[in-house]
Amino acid sequence: MACETLLLFGATGDLARRMLLPSLYALHADGLIKDCLQIVGTARSELDDAGWQDFAKKALEEFLPADRKNGDLLATFLERLKYQPLDASKPDGFPALAEKIGDTSGGIAIFLSTAPSLFEPTIAGLQKAGLAGDNVRIGLEKPLGTDLDSSREINDAVAAAFPEERTFRIDHYLGKETVQNLLALRFANMMFEPLWNANGIDHVQITVSETVGLEGRVGFYDGAGALRDMVQNHMLQLLSLVAMEPPADLNATAVRDEKVKVLRSLRKIDSDSAATHTVIGQYGAGASKGEAVPGYVDELGKPSDTETFVAIKAHVDNWRWQGVPFYLRTGKRLPNRQSEIFIQFKKVPHSIFAKRGGRLTANKLVIRLQPEEYIRLLVMAKEPGLDREGITLREVPLDLSLTSAFAGTRRRIAYERLLLDLIEGDPTLFVRRDEVEAQWEWVDAIRAGWAANGMTPKQYGAGSWGPSAAIALTERDGVSWHD
């Protein structure tokens, strides 16, 4: 019986070097992919098999952890690799790619990491070369458009060859271990679900902050900005996992059905509310990690109104979350690199400790996704003592460090899980078309609201937490950002 092929477009790009090749090597080293699986790479670079194998070897030497390097395993992994140069914009090159792949009866899993402008000609080329049959799945790396219309155009082009059940839209945040643990935390523990609603939760904060600036992404980022680069995909996916109803089962249809209900329940932010519910900023010169860094326009080399920071006050209009604000914040050149979900519970309805001097603080739950991964519940406890001068209560953390709690278990990076799921055909952690379109509808309304109100980014110093208006966004509600 023929074995499957994994076909990587963009095989000489930065994503392949840093993430895809190390992930595939890890799956190979742990025996999680079949011995006969061949990995075919393609890109414009004029390489042969040996040239791409050398490229992969150098990438693995640079990006693999020291404890994962093994000369024998590396040699057998490199034997899997084949390469075919291809200009995806020219359909006449695809028959040679098909010839390189050879027997396709075992099926093909395609990972497409190219410019969105190449999606349509790539799909057409795959069809023409017989590489889009019923046994072929395609994984699409973002960006998938710049607004709802362009997203639909891309999805229509893909759907012409690949029906929804064979289309895997990638959001690498969904492959992170802590994101998976969010589902376990909510739906495997009785203590949280009765409080996971407007009766128990005061507000939710989701922060994805970066310390870097443009870092070589000039061409893409200046046409996208923080809202389209981070909020439209990663942050709305995190919000939907926090806010979703319990699915009937842990399968692709049930989980994604519940996520899309949340996305469709997001209250629209438009021309009437954009100025009061959103803040946009652009970093100026400042300091990052103790070093002076230039402002965005200096890095870019020209004037720009692209936002590098956005803060949003969002609402999910359904019974569970009525009246609970969701504060979203993301930006570049911020003080720390972190991704976290912060749940602020409500205060107890009556304090029995007040007359004895005990001051209560409402419970908090911190789910940190990166750089370290942990779940921390902050609870009230009494300080030891005889309490003759009053009771002293203090907030103490109950920590679940995933690194230490599962010290004997190998940690997986997101692309290991996603590539394996693509190869095996499990769509649970991939984004369905109706999710993408619901996300774009909400984001497009915000952008239209910015335009209607003539909003332009407020400058903030590199190394700060964004414009002062972002602080005011929460302080008006008596809330402070969790830094």
Side-chain angles (χ1 to χ4, degrees):
M1 181 178 175
C3 200
E4 192 166 26
T5 295
L6 176 64
L7 174 58
L8 298 181
F9 281 81
T12 59
D14 195 54
L15 181 66
R17 288 176 62 244
R18 292 175 177 271
M19 294 292 176
L20 304 185
L21 288 167
S23 296
L24 290 168
Y25 168 84
L27 297 175
H28 166 85
D30 294 336
L32 295 171
I33 50 179
K34 294 178 181 178
D35 291 340
C36 60
L37 176 79
Q38 67 169 346
I39 301 170
V40 178
T42 184
R44 290 187 179 187
S45 303
E46 289 291 337
L47 300 175
D48 56 13
D49 292 354
W52 194 46
Q53 289 168 3
D54 184 59
F55 172 91
K57 183 178 180 181
K58 290 176 180 175
L60 295 174
E61 287 172 349
E62 182 176 357
F63 294 108
L64 273 181
D67 65 337
R68 291 296 265 166
K69 294 177 181 178
N70 179 299
D72 293 337
L73 288 172
L74 177 60
T76 54
F77 174 71
L78 295 177
E79 289 173 3
R80 293 181 183 268
L81 306 185
K82 298 181 180 179
Y83 184 86
Q84 178 63 37
L86 174 71
D87 182 343
S89 65
K90 299 177 180 177
D92 56 0
F94 282 84
L97 178 62
E99 185 178 344
K100 187 73 175 186
I101 292 170
D103 185 1
T104 60
S105 60
I108 306 173
I110 300 172
F111 187 102
L112 188 58
S113 175
T114 61
S117 61
L118 293 175
F119 277 22
E120 200 163 346
T122 299
I123 299 298
L126 290 168
Q127 280 184 295
K128 186 176 180 180
L131 298 175
D134 292 341
N135 63 348
V136 181
R137 292 181 293 280
I138 189 164
L140 306 172
E141 181 65 59
K142 78 175 187 85
L144 297 179
T146 57
D147 55 18
L148 179 60
D149 289 343
S150 59
S151 177
R152 281 177 170 163
E153 189 176 330
I154 289 171
N155 280 313
D156 286 345
V158 174
F162 297 94
E164 187 62 34
E165 63 269 18
R166 291 194 282 116
T167 301
F168 291 62
R169 295 172 194 84
I170 295 161
D171 186 328
H172 74 269
Y173 265 55
L174 298 182
K176 289 181 179 291
E177 196 68 54
T178 326
V179 173
Q180 303 304 301
N181 256 299
L182 176 58
L183 294 177
L185 184 80
R186 286 195 58 192
F187 304 127
N189 297 288
M190 185 61 187
M191 68 183 79
F192 289 114
E193 190 56 26
L195 296 174
W196 209 266
N197 52 52
N199 294 323
I201 291 176
D202 180 79
H203 70 270
V204 177
Q205 298 179 27
I206 301 175
T207 294
V208 178
S209 60
E210 300 178 275
T211 57
V212 297
L214 285 175
E215 298 292 301
R217 300 179 73 211
V218 175
F220 163 73
Y221 194 86
D222 195 56
L227 184 68
R228 289 187 284 199
D229 185 40
M230 294 297 295
V231 176
Q232 185 274 331
N233 40 76
H234 304 324
M235 299 189 76
L236 287 184
Q237 283 293 313
L238 294 178
L239 185 153
S240 66
L241 290 170
V242 170
M244 66 190 276
E245 295 297 321
D249 199 354
L250 191 62
N251 63 49
T253 300
V255 171
R256 297 193 292 185
D257 281 351
E258 298 304 336
K259 285 198 295 173
V260 81
K261 287 178 189 175
V262 173
L263 295 168
R264 287 174 175 161
S265 298
L266 281 169
R267 184 185 303 171
K268 183 178 286 188
I269 297 174
D270 53 21
S271 57
D272 294 330
S273 54
T276 55
H277 284 63
T278 69
V279 174
I280 50 177
Q282 184 185 94
Y283 66 83
S288 178
K289 300 179 181 178
E291 296 183 0
V293 293
Y296 179 80
V297 295
D298 297 319
E299 284 189 75
L300 188 64
K302 62 180 181 180
S304 173
D305 282 338
T306 296
E307 81 284 356
T308 63
F309 174 95
V310 61
I312 301 172
K313 178 182 176 181
H315 290 88
V316 178
D317 283 336
N318 59 23
W319 275 31
R320 180 182 288 262
W321 297 110
Q322 195 58 45
V324 178
F326 285 72
Y327 300 102
L328 313 180
R329 174 179 61 165
T330 185
K332 290 187 174 295
R333 289 291 189 215
L334 300 182
N336 303 316
R337 173 180 174 263
Q338 65 186 56
S339 298
E340 74 171 27
I341 300 164
F342 175 79
I343 311 290
Q344 174 69 67
F345 291 97
K346 290 186 174 178
K347 294 180 180 179
V348 297
H350 170 69
S351 173
I352 65 172
F353 304 99
K355 291 182 179 179
R356 298 284 303 276
R359 296 183 178 181
L360 293 183
T361 301
N363 301 132
K364 306 173 183 69
L365 181 66
V366 182
I367 303 166
R368 177 66 67 88
L369 309 178
Q370 66 182 27
E372 63 273 67
E373 295 183 332
Y374 62 74
I375 297 170
R376 174 175 294 159
L377 179 63
L378 296 166
V379 300
M380 298 305 295
K382 189 186 86 67
E383 282 192 3
L386 297 176
D387 310 323
R388 288 298 180 266
E389 296 179 1
I391 292 176
T392 302
L393 300 175
R394 187 159 59 89
E395 195 174 60
V396 296
L398 299 179
D399 281 349
L400 169 59
S401 167
L402 300 182
T403 305
S404 57
F406 302 105
T409 305
R410 185 172 297 283
R411 309 293 294 154
R412 300 285 181 186
I413 64 173
Y415 279 102
E416 291 179 44
R417 181 189 302 273
L418 296 175
L419 284 166
L420 187 61
D421 285 353
L422 174 62
I423 292 167
E424 295 180 344
D426 182 351
T428 305
L429 299 181
F430 297 84
V431 184
R432 207 166 59 191
R433 178 170 181 167
D434 53 354
E435 289 180 73
V436 174
E437 295 189 353
Q439 290 169 181
W440 274 124
E441 284 181 22
W442 193 69
V443 163
D444 283 356
I446 293 175
R447 290 185 59 81
W450 292 349
N453 286 275
M455 292 174 62
T456 55
K458 302 175 186 294
Q459 191 167 95
Y460 62 95
S464 71
W465 277 109
S468 58
I471 299 172
L473 180 71
T474 58
E475 295 288 352
R476 286 195 294 268
D477 301 329
V479 171
S480 296
W481 289 107
H482 183 254
D483 295 335

